[in-house]
Amino acid sequence: MTSFQPSGLDRLIPPEIKDDDFSQIIQTLARRPEVHTVLEIGSSSGAGSTEAFVKGLRENPNQPLLFCMEVSKARFAALSEQYREDAFVRCYNVSSIARDQFPTAEAIIDFYNHTPSNLNVYPLDLVLSWLQQDIEYVENSGVSESGIEQIRQENGIDRFDLVLIDGSEFTGAIELEAVYGATFILLDDICTFKNHHNHQRLRDDPNYALIHHNPQRRNGFSVFQRTNLDLPVHFLTIVLNGEPFIRYHLEIFKQLPFRWHWHIVEGVADLKHDTAWSLRSGGSIAPDLHDRGLSRDGTTVYLDEIQAQHPDQISIYRPPVDAFWDGKREMVNAPLSNIQESCLLWQVDVDELWSIEQIIAARDLFVRHPDKTAAFYWCWYFVGETLLISSRHCYAQNPAQEWLRTWRYQPGDVWAAHEPPRLVRGDRDVAAIDPFSHDETEAAGLVFQHFAYVTPDQLQFKEQYYGYKNAVFQWQRLQAESRFPVRLRQYFPWVRDFTTVDRAQSCGVVPIAQRSRNGIAHLVNDTWQFQSPDEFPPSAVTLPVPQIAIDGVFFQLHKTGIARVWQSLLEEWAQTDFRHHLVLLDRMGTAPDIAGIRTIVIDPYRDGKRDGLASSGRPFLQSVCDQLSADVFISTYFTTPETTPSVLLVHDLIPEVMGENPNHPIVQTKRQAIEYAADHLAISQNTARDLVRFYPQVESVTVAYCGVSSAFSPASAEQIAQFRHRYGIQKPYFLVTSADNPSPYKNNQLFFEAIAHLATKTGFEIVCTVLSPVLPDEWRDRSAGCTVHLLRLTDADLALAYAGAIALIYPSRYEGFGMPVLEAMACGCPVITCANSSIVEVGDQAVLYVPEDDPIALADALCEVQKPSVRSRLIAAGLARSTQFFLVKHGTNRSNSFDLPPTLTCRPPDRLATGDFSRLASSLKMLLY
């Protein structure tokens, strides 16, 4: 197709590449057996170069495919008609590049003025009009843009074998970028703007050789062939006691379709240099780890056998008898003097398993991208035969150093370190020059499997060599776990971050290494079999609908009552099949460890004081929802995505009820979340009423009561005595929660005013649960004569504090629910509180009520609650109330009529329900279906 057509693009033009030397070259190349896919950019009506391609391809025994691209609709119609009987010819009416990728007029002017070419025979204004004509045609014709990428994706093509660039005068440079790496690249019009720079670039490229060139034929043409197809791979493995995994690799390497060599360095590495840290952890080289410096498990014999069978492809390096290597750095450097060619150097640890397809694909990435110097990979890190690490940016998945496994090696490169690996060229880190990123290799399917903790022998080695105390026992605990996911730090004490472990099947992973049990129960006696993942049936993991993403942001921000509510709900859901619907978005490891709840670690929430809570990261959350294919989003606070339906659980309307500034960032973010939500839940009837009162646009609200964890239950006298002894509590005591909360609505000052009026106050102590050990001086003055304990308690100790108290004093002016009231009743603790907001819903007739501004009435109640008959009545009523609480199921709408029927049956009184998961699930179904 010629570029110099002053008339419209829909005009049919005579062929140029026809019955000449370029046409003959095209036919010859099309017949070559290594050609399977051909791309012709600029096919015109098909009478020129297309005809030459078709003639050659018809004689190719591999039956290659020819993809013809033509932007002109008229020429495309003629092209399609001419080859409609040829199934191997596939025609596309597309633009090769997008409109915004065309060069600027300034670039054309610069080329015209400074580069002598055949374009100069035309006036500059005319040339610029052709550029504008091409751009307008793409804009107005409605053809698809970025056609090269479209053809790739639709046909599963990674790299074309043969490409002709002969399209628009102005698109050649972008087209070359899109097809770079092809085995043969043909350029027409190399003496014009179209391919002038492309010709120079490929001529200077060491990865391509100029095999045909005729600058006199019309506007010149050239043909280049890629020269780096013979890129050998040298694998490097260091090993001590490599069974059973050492037997996997050779069978894979033998099937590779390129030159390879396996360098195996065997023996004990002294605890020096990279691994010297093991000494501080108690690591040592025990005599039973080795046999005179070599493997004791049969690895040595196996290596000798395979080297004898493949002497030209396997090299083995060992220290002298009874000697150790001078650290692992000496081990990895041992083979380098024998690698006298440029190649890929690939570290393959004994327990790191790659499939044939992955090795081929990784090498192919380096072939197609000759400037890349190294590659980082993700891995599936196994901590059991079918258990693996499912989180990233954490232990064993630290992208700053893991997993760097492949380098473009040149003779003279040396290892500066092994852990993490660092190959240097002079003073440059090879991997730091231009590596493939984790995302790039993952997109190519290059996530390998690392069986690091799957046999007792591996754990025994790590316990001795690295000093991981009790590694075997802790690993056995993990294997015995029945509910996943779990945090790895609960089992491996040397792991201190948020690393999550899940079943391989839940992650859609089929292990390459599997045991062949043969009826034998003990892992140590089982044999192992290895297969490539493509030999297993595809994973049939189907997540139930709806998938619900829960943003655990409140666990990052606060550890107050709302966090307790959510932890309680999640713990309850973890016991049921409802957990399969859930994925908890853990803000950088701040969420609680709850076995059975699938957890994904995401970026932390930014400080509202700095950025304003209105900046809630909606695009980021939407991207997370998209990656998880979430059907519904729920936030533990007021974060929202952009399009995923949101169900908002409203805990309270404190800012609105207490008259706080409506322009405060938190209030604004809350309003945004309420307005965005497709459905609303509230944790009490009172909160539901307040919600529709302050936000009239809310059509309806479902009440989903929160409940009390099973940790809150009556305690024995012995347990209470131990608790009192542990915290030095000598006298009967009153319990006050959140005593350091400065908010007026908590109203704790009422208790300290009342205690000042209590004539017998010196006979009592006061236990205050706090986050920080600070009380106002006024409160300390009013409680003078009483010992005040400021305690930060775990749930277990808080339950004992309730159980041992004379009463919980909870004089709050407003609560969204009032969790301490329910917790205290469940522990058999009398409660003195105020009859307002949701507290009456929770306490009903099982508590003592006092006016919220009357300290004398509260002082009288402090005396009343000590009477045995009153205490007995309150304890019995409170226990009964807490066990039957979940029978109260309501919905509310704008008219405040509660018309949704109960959906749960009564639970046994001895098991306190924790989460209204059935109601929440019902609400989600109402939203989605």
Side-chain angles (χ1 to χ4, degrees):
M1 167 181 173
T2 184
S3 301
F4 308 125
Q5 291 297 320
S7 56
L9 284 174
D10 280 335
R11 175 182 176 184
L12 298 183
I13 58 177
E16 291 187 337
I17 304 174
K18 192 174 182 69
D19 301 328
D20 59 12
D21 52 348
F22 198 12
S23 176
Q24 289 299 317
I25 291 169
I26 290 174
Q27 290 185 49
T28 300
L29 293 175
R31 287 193 291 265
R32 294 184 61 151
E34 66 265 39
V35 172
H36 299 274
T37 56
V38 180
L39 178 66
E40 183 186 39
I41 304 173
S43 298
S44 191
S45 55
S49 56
T50 313
E51 183 177 272
F53 277 120
V54 169
K55 288 181 179 179
L57 294 175
R58 283 175 176 159
E59 301 177 26
N60 191 317
N62 293 325
Q63 299 180 321
L65 296 175
L66 170 61
F67 300 93
C68 300
M69 297 177 59
E70 176 53 50
V71 68
S72 164
K73 291 186 176 297
R75 298 170 194 169
F76 172 77
L79 172 72
S80 301
E81 177 61 23
Q82 180 167 346
Y83 296 104
R84 60 188 176 87
E85 301 297 332
D86 294 295
F88 67 91
V89 179
R90 302 183 180 180
C91 303
Y92 285 77
N93 184 205
V94 294
S95 172
S96 61
I97 69 173
R99 286 168 289 175
D100 58 3
Q101 292 179 304
F102 275 81
T104 63
E106 290 75 13
I108 303 300
I109 294 171
D110 182 72
F111 177 86
Y112 189 94
N113 292 331
H114 298 97
T115 307
S117 75
N118 292 0
L119 201 63
N120 294 101
V121 302
Y122 300 92
L124 177 60
D125 289 346
L126 181 59
V127 174
L128 294 177
S129 73
W130 294 339
L131 171 64
Q132 188 61 33
Q133 171 185 286
D134 282 7
I135 295 174
E136 289 176 355
Y137 191 90
V138 174
E139 289 178 340
N140 299 326
S141 64
V143 298
S144 299
E145 301 180 18
S146 302
I148 298 174
E149 185 60 27
Q150 177 184 336
I151 293 172
R152 282 187 194 279
Q153 293 184 1
E154 290 181 0
N155 297 276
I157 298 172
D158 187 31
R159 182 185 68 238
F160 295 98
D161 298 310
L162 176 57
V163 177
L164 169 63
I165 300 178
D166 189 24
S168 165
E169 172 65 15
F170 309 102
T171 58
I174 301 299
E175 290 161 350
L176 179 59
E177 290 294 337
V179 302
Y180 186 86
T183 306
F184 299 96
I185 297 179
L186 288 61
L187 306 176
D188 195 26
D189 297 323
I190 61 173
C191 297
T192 69
F193 183 87
K194 181 192 298 183
N195 277 318
H196 176 82
H197 290 310
N198 287 347
H199 173 80
Q200 291 184 329
R201 172 184 170 181
L202 291 178
R203 183 195 60 193
D204 299 332
D205 190 335
N207 297 300
Y208 279 89
L210 180 64
I211 59 175
H212 297 287
H213 181 213
N214 187 344
Q216 281 75 46
R217 178 66 64 190
R218 297 179 312 282
N219 294 308
F221 73 84
S222 55
V223 177
F224 293 88
Q225 180 179 1
R226 203 176 74 201
T227 59
N228 65 341
L229 292 177
D230 183 27
L231 178 62
V233 177
H234 286 251
F235 298 103
L236 171 60
T237 300
I238 64 175
V239 60
L240 177 70
N241 301 323
E243 295 284 6
F245 306 106
I246 189 66
R247 297 180 181 271
Y248 170 81
H249 307 286
L250 180 58
E251 296 306 312
I252 298 297
F253 297 162
K254 285 162 57 176
Q255 301 177 64
L256 297 174
F258 48 78
R259 288 197 301 116
W260 59 270
H261 197 100
W262 190 13
H263 302 268
I264 308 169
V265 188
E266 187 192 10
V268 178
D270 214 343
L271 293 173
K272 296 180 178 179
H273 313 303
D274 299 337
T275 55
W277 59 268
S278 301
L279 296 172
R280 297 190 298 272
S281 302
S284 63
I285 302 174
D288 59 355
L289 286 181
H290 63 93
D291 180 8
R292 305 191 70 180
L294 298 180
S295 302
R296 58 166 176 77
D297 66 344
T299 296
T300 302
V301 175
Y302 171 74
L303 294 180
D304 289 340
E305 291 175 353
I306 63 174
Q307 185 186 37
Q309 296 166 3
H310 305 277
D312 296 330
Q313 292 179 290
I314 296 177
S315 299
I316 297 176
Y317 308 81
R318 292 176 174 131
V321 176
D322 292 325
F324 295 166
W325 291 98
D326 187 35
K328 291 186 177 181
R329 188 168 60 189
E330 184 186 27
M331 295 183 77
V332 293
N333 273 299
L336 297 190
S337 61
N338 291 334
I339 305 177
Q340 296 299 317
E341 62 179 343
S342 297
C343 64
L344 289 187
L345 182 59
W346 197 317
Q347 178 182 327
V348 178
D349 286 359
V350 170
D351 51 10
E352 297 176 356
L353 308 189
W354 301 75
S355 70
I356 302 167
E357 294 77 14
Q358 287 178 322
I359 296 175
I360 294 173
R363 174 184 175 274
D364 196 50
L365 279 179
F366 281 93
V367 168
R368 289 188 290 108
H369 299 276
D371 296 331
K372 292 294 185 180
T373 58
F376 287 90
Y377 306 93
W378 293 114
C379 77
W380 290 113
Y381 193 94
F382 282 80
V383 291
E385 182 187 349
T386 59
L387 302 178
L388 49 75
I389 290 175
S390 58
S391 52
R392 289 180 174 174
H393 301 274
C394 57
Y395 175 78
Q397 294 284 33
N398 177 4
Q401 64 184 51
E402 299 164 334
W403 297 89
L404 181 58
R405 284 295 179 263
T406 316
W407 296 259
R408 192 181 293 274
Y409 173 85
Q410 293 180 5
D413 294 348
V414 296
W415 292 106
H418 173 65
E419 294 183 2
R422 184 167 176 263
L423 185 73
V424 297
R425 183 171 302 153
D427 60 352
R428 301 188 70 187
D429 184 340
V430 174
I433 299 173
D434 188 12
F436 286 109
S437 68
H438 294 81
D439 290 342
E440 290 172 315
T441 55
E442 183 174 32
L446 304 178
V447 180
F448 66 94
Q449 296 188 13
H450 190 174
F451 291 83
Y453 292 87
V454 299
T455 71
D457 283 346
Q458 288 177 304
L459 274 296
Q460 185 64 46
F461 176 80
K462 290 175 171 62
E463 184 170 314
Q464 294 179 340
Y465 189 81
Y466 292 112
Y468 290 162
K469 292 181 173 58
N470 299 318
V472 176
F473 172 75
Q474 298 289 357
W475 176 77
Q476 290 170 339
R477 286 183 57 238
L478 176 60
Q479 309 314 302
E481 180 60 69
S482 60
R483 287 189 298 127
F484 291 93
V486 296
R487 296 288 198 205
L488 187 57
R489 65 191 176 202
Q490 295 175 279
Y491 305 90
F492 289 178
W494 56 91
V495 177
R496 299 179 181 178
D497 58 21
F498 47 77
T499 301
T500 303
V501 174
D502 207 341
R503 293 186 177 93
Q505 182 183 11
S506 299
C507 300
V509 178
V510 178
I512 293 176
Q514 293 187 326
R515 285 183 294 162
S516 178
R517 291 167 178 77
N518 299 321
I520 302 174
H522 298 290
L523 177 67
V524 293
N525 294 325
D526 290 346
T527 59
W528 288 78
Q529 57 186 6
F530 306 101
Q531 299 185 45
S532 182
D534 60 353
E535 297 180 37
F536 287 92
S539 174
V541 176
T542 302
L543 297 175
V545 175
Q547 279 293 290
I548 306 165
I550 302 176
D551 186 356
V553 61
F554 199 88
F555 296 115
Q556 174 194 336
L557 301 177
H558 305 287
K559 301 299 182 183
T560 54
I562 293 177
R564 295 172 60 78
V565 168
W566 273 105
Q567 181 164 347
S568 177
L569 287 168
L570 291 166
E571 288 172 348
E572 177 70 12
W573 291 335
Q575 306 293 327
T576 74
D577 288 341
F578 186 64
R579 70 180 185 274
H580 300 303
H581 291 268
L582 308 177
V583 55
L584 176 62
L585 309 183
D586 183 358
R587 297 285 186 159
M588 292 307 291
T590 56
D593 296 341
I594 302 175
I597 297 296
R598 186 160 56 105
T599 303
I600 302 295
V601 177
I602 64 172
D603 291 346
Y605 192 89
R606 290 184 296 176
D607 187 354
K609 294 180 181 178
R610 183 177 68 249
D611 299 317
L613 287 178
S615 175
S616 55
R618 299 185 68 190
F620 167 70
L621 282 176
Q622 187 57 54
S623 69
V624 173
C625 289
D626 292 341
Q627 292 173 22
L628 296 173
S629 299
D631 301 293
V632 181
F633 174 87
I634 301 178
S635 179
T636 56
Y637 207 37
F638 300 122
T639 53
T640 55
E642 294 183 309
T643 59
T644 300
S646 172
V647 174
L648 182 65
L649 180 59
V650 181
H651 294 271
D652 60 63
L653 277 295
I654 292 173
E656 294 84 352
V657 171
M658 304 305 291
E660 294 184 10
N661 180 6
N663 295 320
H664 190 282
I666 294 179
V667 179
Q668 291 180 330
T669 302
K670 182 177 183 179
R671 182 182 300 112
Q672 178 188 56
I674 291 172
E675 293 173 350
Y676 175 79
D679 199 8
H680 301 81
L681 308 179
I683 61 173
S684 67
Q685 293 182 34
N686 187 77
T687 296
R689 292 190 187 98
D690 285 344
L691 178 61
V692 296
R693 176 161 63 99
F694 287 99
Y695 297 93
Q697 68 271 30
V698 175
E699 293 294 330
S700 64
V701 185
T702 299
V703 176
Y705 284 114
C706 51
V708 62
S709 168
S710 57
F712 295 93
S713 58
S716 67
E718 182 181 0
Q719 290 174 315
I720 295 172
Q722 291 174 348
F723 165 77
R724 291 167 61 100
H725 177 74
R726 187 158 57 249
Y727 290 101
I729 302 171
Q730 303 295 324
K731 301 176 183 178
Y733 63 90
F734 295 106
L735 178 63
V736 181
T737 59
S738 302
D740 56 341
N741 189 324
S743 299
Y745 80 90
K746 282 298 183 183
N747 199 29
N748 281 320
Q749 71 272 10
L750 183 69
F751 167 74
F752 288 96
E753 291 174 5
I755 200 74
H757 290 284
L758 192 65
T760 58
K761 69 175 183 178
T762 57
F764 303 95
E765 297 183 10
I766 302 170
V767 172
C768 298
T769 66
V770 295
L771 294 178
S772 59
V774 177
L775 279 183
D777 291 340
E778 180 185 0
W779 294 5
R780 288 189 176 276
D781 293 342
R782 292 181 181 276
S783 59
C786 297
T787 300
V788 179
H789 303 271
L790 304 181
L791 305 180
R792 189 169 186 172
L793 302 175
T794 64
D795 279 0
D797 277 354
L798 178 58
L800 294 173
Y802 284 130
I806 300 172
L808 167 70
I809 315 303
Y810 200 73
S812 178
R813 296 177 183 272
Y814 181 91
E815 291 294 325
F817 179 79
M819 177 65 77
V821 174
L822 184 56
E823 290 174 342
M825 292 191 300
C827 293
C829 177
V831 177
I832 301 174
T833 186
C834 301
N836 58 48
S837 59
S838 64
I839 295 176
V840 178
E841 289 179 61
V842 178
D844 195 40
Q845 301 301 311
V847 300
L848 287 180
Y849 294 107
V850 297
E852 59 191 41
D853 294 312
D854 190 342
I856 300 300
L858 178 52
D860 290 342
L862 295 178
C863 295
E864 183 74 9
V865 79
Q866 298 177 56
K867 297 177 181 178
S869 60
V870 174
R871 288 185 58 77
S872 297
R873 177 180 64 80
L874 290 175
I875 290 173
L879 288 171
R881 181 64 177 165
S882 67
T883 57
Q884 296 187 16
F885 190 79
F886 280 92
L887 289 177
V888 184
K889 301 295 173 187
H890 297 292
T892 182
N893 55 29
R894 292 277 306 279
S895 64
N896 291 333
S897 62
F898 300 95
D899 53 4
L900 289 177
T903 59
L904 292 184
T905 59
C906 182
R907 301 188 179 202
D910 61 343
R911 185 175 185 274
L912 300 177
T914 310
D916 188 3
F917 56 87
S918 293
R919 170 59 64 188
L920 181 56
S922 174
S923 178
L924 293 171
K925 290 178 181 177
M926 288 190 292
L927 167 65
L928 291 172
Y929 305 111

